[in-house]
Amino acid sequence: MKILLVMDSAEQQNRISEYVKALGFDSIWYRFVLKAMDNIDEINPDGIFVSAVDFPRHWKALVSFFRSTHPASVSPVVVLVNNKFTEKESEKAKHLDVNCLLPEYGADAAALDCLRRVLQSTVPAEKWLDGTASTKATQRQLAMIITNPLTGALIPGKIKKITNFGAVFASDFPELSKNIEPETILKGCSLRAGGAILSPVCKVINNGDTLSLEFLELCESEKKSLEKFLASIS
């Protein structure tokens, strides 16, 4: 899988390249928008990062050109911005189906979560759920039960990987969970994280050998409990 990076800064390119590499992407870097557009058909990238700071006018031409053949649902576009990026420009980005506006430097946790969510449809869960491995916690510390919304069956299992926004769940009885389709919302979930029992509402991202789950809802106290537990086993 390939991500096209269109920006001037080598430092910034290196930073983003390392991040997308961890998610399983190779990156191709161009310093000029027009040259990138000339070669985009040959490159056929799975997504684009373009700096609106470096190219305040031409980023829109690049995104529009890319969007003519690559829909937002399968090909993410991330635009790097700074505090000079106006509300009007944000509206243009929305019109062009830009998936994420990311601060050029000093991206906060919310911005990185946005980026991860953008990319999760194109990479394996083991990549976008890059977080704390459950091998650092015992089964007594970390376990989960989900409810199959189609049958009402309670399905216990183990957590293979977990972050503050999702988990990879391995059912103890795979035959009870094999009929759960991606995008299914799971409301009857119980997650043990250390001494805390949490009740996340989850969305199924993928169902194969394991279920990749995104946490859609956690109350503030549960979020803090999960963050505290993850910090304790990191």
Side-chain angles (χ1 to χ4, degrees):
M1 297 182 292
K2 293 175 289 188
I3 291 287
L4 176 63
L5 308 181
V6 187
M7 57 198 64
D8 185 57
S9 168
E11 177 187 352
Q12 187 180 86
Q13 179 271 144
N14 286 331
R15 179 171 57 91
I16 296 173
S17 291
E18 285 301 310
Y19 186 81
V20 300
K21 181 179 180 181
L23 294 171
F25 287 92
D26 293 323
S27 58
I28 300 168
W29 178 32
Y30 281 85
R31 270 188 157 132
F32 302 99
V33 169
L34 294 180
K35 188 172 180 180
M37 290 174 67
D38 284 342
N39 291 282
I40 203 167
D41 288 338
E42 180 182 349
I43 298 168
N44 192 25
D46 296 284
I48 289 178
F49 281 68
V50 58
S51 173
V53 180
D54 296 334
F55 312 110
R57 294 170 57 190
H58 292 145
W59 72 266
K60 294 183 282 289
L62 174 64
V63 174
S64 179
F65 184 73
F66 183 67
R67 277 285 173 256
S68 66
T69 54
H70 294 75
S73 58
V74 295
S75 301
V77 170
V78 177
V79 176
L80 304 173
V81 302
N82 61 11
N83 56 9
K84 295 182 181 179
F85 197 79
T86 65
E87 186 64 32
K88 185 176 180 179
E89 290 291 272
S90 295
E91 287 298 318
K92 291 178 182 177
K94 183 178 179 180
H95 179 73
L96 290 170
D97 288 330
V98 170
N99 299 84
C100 189
L101 298 176
L102 191 68
E104 183 184 28
Y105 292 105
D108 58 17
L112 292 178
D113 278 353
C114 171
L115 175 57
R116 198 183 297 261
R117 289 174 190 275
V118 165
L119 294 171
Q120 75 180 33
S121 64
T122 61
V123 300
E126 288 74 14
K127 292 291 186 181
W128 64 260
L129 276 176
D130 186 21
T132 305
S134 64
T135 51
K136 296 183 180 179
T138 67
Q139 292 182 32
R140 189 175 181 86
Q141 289 178 301
L142 187 60
M144 192 172 189
I145 298 175
I146 67 171
T147 301
N148 187 322
L150 302 175
T151 65
L154 295 176
I155 308 171
K158 303 173 182 64
I159 297 295
K160 296 294 186 181
K161 204 168 206 180
I162 187 168
T163 71
N164 59 356
F165 57 87
V168 176
F169 171 80
S171 170
D172 288 343
F173 304 97
E175 67 277 6
L176 298 181
S177 59
K178 65 182 181 181
N179 65 340
I180 303 176
E181 298 291 333
E183 303 298 317
T184 299
I185 305 301
L186 305 179
K187 295 184 178 180
C189 299
S190 179
L191 171 65
R192 174 185 290 278
I197 303 296
L198 315 179
S199 301
V201 175
C202 300
K203 181 171 74 172
V204 178
I205 302 301
N206 185 46
N207 187 358
D209 295 334
T210 57
L211 270 74
S212 305
L213 305 175
E214 178 183 357
F215 299 149
L216 293 182
E217 294 180 24
L218 276 172
C219 69
E220 283 304 314
S221 62
E222 290 180 325
K223 287 180 182 177
K224 290 179 181 178
S225 295
L226 181 56
E227 289 173 0
K228 183 178 179 181
F229 171 73
L230 292 174
S232 73
I233 63 172
S234 61

